[in-house]
Amino acid sequence: MFIKQIIAKSFRNFDDLNLELNDSRIFIKGVNGSGKTNILELVYFLSRCKPFKAHNEDALIKIGSNEANIYLKFEKDKEEHSISSIITKRKKVFAYDDEKVNKLTSIFGQLITISYIPKSVYLFKSEPAEKRSFIDEMCSMINYQYLETLQRYRKLLKERNQAFIKDYDQDIINVYAEQLIPLAKYIVCFRNQILEKINPLLQKYYSQMFGSSDIKLVYKTNCPLVEDESLFKEQMIKQFNDNKTNEHLKKQTLYGPHRDSFFVLIDGKDIASYGSQGQNRLATLSLNLAKKDIYSEFLHQEPILLLDDVISDLDEKRIISLLEAVKNSKQVIITGSTNSNLLKEYKTYEIQNGKIIKE
Ligand SMILES: Nc1ncnc2c1ncn2[C@@H]1O[C@H](COP(=O)(O)OP(=O)(O)O)[C@@H](O)[C@H]1O
Ligand SMILES: [Mg+2]
């Protein structure tokens, strides 16, 4: 998988950007505020149909314009494809291979990218919802049934919570619980299974960059972690029954994967509370590298790596380990403000005020 061209009209600080990429190793160089992250955001947006920050979509349109037009051409299995979007304040319209897309899930997974942005440093210090969304994106990407199950679960959960607000009979609430339980089991088991796959990879990448520390991603759930369907159901029903009053009081479903969280232990200590910024950075970077391997294994495609501003934050030894870790990737796009000798295999594109000034 390989990006060949990016076009942006009135997107963020780009008037009319046309970037042809013919290389597998790309370094986008520019001073702060020049638009490096905006390029990666464009790619992120087209691969996931949502921006980095979900609540601020209007800011994607260049100030003073009414709509943004973005287009990306990529190669996959030796065929060329494109994803594009027209973004207005009222709506976003997407097209795949120039045909309008009605169901966004049909684009999801076409262009596979891993993005490491500086904000990711705080992943393990962030709210459980943010951590769930990292895991969910990954599980959905490699397993379509997971994505569908999650969507059905969310819809039913909303209905069950509405039933509390509307003071429906316990019988109705129980019927919702019965329907939720098998979906909850699927989600919990798959998350757990993926975590088990991630852990050795996370350990491998983290030790390569940091040394001999012991790192572990731990799954925290209030659901039973049992494979047996009927045992899972029995234990969930018991939890719901034992906490009936509390659920009615809070007017919401208190048990299920929507309450899950994840944390990372380094040498037995939670990095959200005890880890340095450097440890947090390397942990999320290693987690993203682990994700890359999982995508390659499940999807038989090498994802495109987008690494925003990594070079300035890492010392030489770690940059070398990072570049070594991504050496089999078909395409790697790194941004930064200063070039490094270590990036001599990377083709440099210099950006200034939203314009490519030198290739
Ligand atoms: N909607 C927008 N319209 C115009 N400029 C924008 C918009 N959103 C962001 N910008 C500008 O984009 C620049 C930031 O670009 P960014 O890609 O974050 O820079 P960096 O090269 O530091 O990563 C800032 O100058 C900001 O003012
Ligand atoms: Mg930036």
Side-chain angles (χ1 to χ4, degrees):
M1 194 159 299
F2 195 97
I3 298 174
K4 300 182 89 174
Q5 190 182 22
I6 293 171
I7 297 179
K9 291 192 168 81
S10 303
F11 177 86
R12 292 281 190 198
N13 69 335
F14 307 124
D15 269 326
D16 205 346
L17 177 87
N18 183 352
L19 187 57
E20 300 215 21
L21 305 168
N22 296 309
D23 299 84
S24 61
R25 297 288 175 268
I26 293 151
F27 179 62
I28 299 174
K29 180 184 155 191
V31 295
N32 285 341
S34 52
K36 304 181 294 295
T37 303
N38 293 345
I39 293 186
L40 301 191
E41 186 176 30
L42 182 154
V43 179
Y44 183 100
F45 183 73
L46 289 179
S47 60
R48 297 178 181 67
C49 304
K50 61 176 193 201
F52 291 154
K53 290 187 226 116
H55 52 275
N56 206 1
E57 303 202 345
D58 287 355
L60 297 173
I61 306 168
K62 187 168 175 133
I63 295 167
S65 303
N66 294 324
E67 66 171 49
N69 275 271
I70 51 179
Y71 169 92
L72 187 151
K73 187 163 82 186
F74 65 105
E75 197 180 283
K76 182 181 182 177
D77 298 329
K78 300 205 163 62
E79 278 178 22
E80 260 184 18
H81 296 280
S82 69
I83 304 183
S84 58
S85 177
I86 301 173
I87 310 161
T88 64
K89 292 214 163 87
R90 272 187 315 114
K91 61 177 183 185
K92 302 167 287 179
V93 181
F94 289 87
Y96 186 71
D97 287 346
D98 299 321
E99 268 189 45
K100 191 178 166 210
V101 166
N102 295 318
K103 215 172 143 217
L104 291 187
T105 45
S106 64
I107 303 189
F108 188 78
Q110 297 299 337
L111 176 66
I112 310 163
T113 61
I114 304 273
S115 2
Y116 176 82
I117 52 170
K119 187 186 100 171
S120 328
V121 173
Y122 303 106
L123 179 68
F124 292 108
K125 290 179 185 283
S126 62
E127 296 298 315
E130 192 106 3
K131 294 186 258 189
R132 280 195 302 273
S133 115
F134 182 93
I135 300 289
D136 283 340
E137 181 188 302
M138 186 161 146
C139 295
S140 305
M141 188 65 94
I142 58 176
N143 178 356
Y144 193 72
Q145 198 185 337
Y146 182 91
L147 176 63
E148 280 184 335
T149 308
L150 191 65
Q151 285 172 340
R152 276 169 53 215
Y153 179 84
R154 285 179 178 152
K155 190 166 167 277
L156 264 173
L157 179 71
K158 216 168 157 183
E159 286 172 16
R160 187 171 189 264
N161 289 343
Q162 277 297 317
F164 282 119
I165 292 165
K166 291 180 179 157
D167 279 325
Y168 282 0
D169 280 357
Q170 186 63 37
D171 285 356
I172 297 177
I173 285 173
N174 289 347
V175 169
Y176 279 123
E178 290 260 341
Q179 292 175 337
L180 273 173
I181 290 171
L183 306 178
K185 167 149 196 305
Y186 187 86
I187 296 166
V188 168
C189 286
F190 197 72
R191 284 179 181 170
N192 194 41
Q193 201 182 318
I194 284 307
L195 248 67
E196 279 172 14
K197 281 213 160 265
I198 290 178
N199 266 317
L201 297 166
L202 179 66
Q203 179 68 64
K204 176 182 94 176
Y205 288 120
Y206 191 82
S207 338
Q208 275 171 13
M209 285 191 281
F210 206 81
S212 62
S213 307
D214 182 45
I215 183 167
K216 196 169 188 321
L217 182 60
V218 181
Y219 183 23
K220 189 171 162 231
T221 181
N222 64 17
C223 300
L225 275 176
V226 291
E227 280 296 326
D228 187 80
E229 197 102 22
S230 54
L231 197 59
F232 183 92
K233 186 173 174 187
E234 194 184 302
Q235 293 187 17
M236 282 297 276
I237 288 178
K238 183 173 177 342
Q239 294 203 110
F240 283 132
N241 282 339
D242 291 350
N243 293 282
K244 238 185 258 172
T245 326
N246 209 5
E247 286 204 315
H248 279 282
L249 209 68
K250 301 240 169 74
K251 297 199 181 297
Q252 54 175 301
T253 305
L254 297 175
Y255 292 87
H258 61 290
R259 289 287 182 121
D260 283 357
S261 191
F262 306 88
F263 53 97
V264 165
L265 301 180
I266 291 184
D267 295 329
K269 290 200 218 69
D270 184 352
I271 61 165
S273 319
Y274 298 101
S276 67
Q277 184 159 326
Q279 283 175 319
N280 273 279
R281 175 178 293 120
L282 290 179
T284 47
L285 190 53
S286 306
L287 181 63
N288 277 289
L289 294 173
K291 180 169 156 186
K292 158 186 90 67
D293 288 0
I294 299 227
Y295 282 5
S296 323
E297 181 190 331
F298 279 81
L299 303 168
H300 311 291
Q301 295 273 355
E302 282 291 327
I304 297 162
L305 288 170
L306 311 170
L307 305 171
D308 197 17
D309 251 332
V310 274
I311 298 302
S312 54
D313 291 335
L314 298 175
D315 53 41
E316 202 172 298
K317 176 179 161 273
R318 286 172 184 146
I319 298 174
I320 294 171
S321 307
L322 171 66
L323 296 178
E324 175 66 22
V326 302
K327 78 168 191 289
N328 291 328
S329 299
K330 288 245 170 62
Q331 195 174 41
V332 184
I333 306 180
I334 295 180
T335 70
S337 50
T338 46
N339 216 329
S340 154
N341 271 339
L342 300 171
L343 293 175
K344 52 183 182 304
E345 285 172 16
Y346 281 65
K347 162 114 186 244
T348 303
Y349 293 81
E350 193 165 343
I351 183 167
Q352 205 177 68
N353 286 326
K355 291 190 175 63
I356 298 291
I357 55 164
K358 199 182 80 192
E359 288 181 24

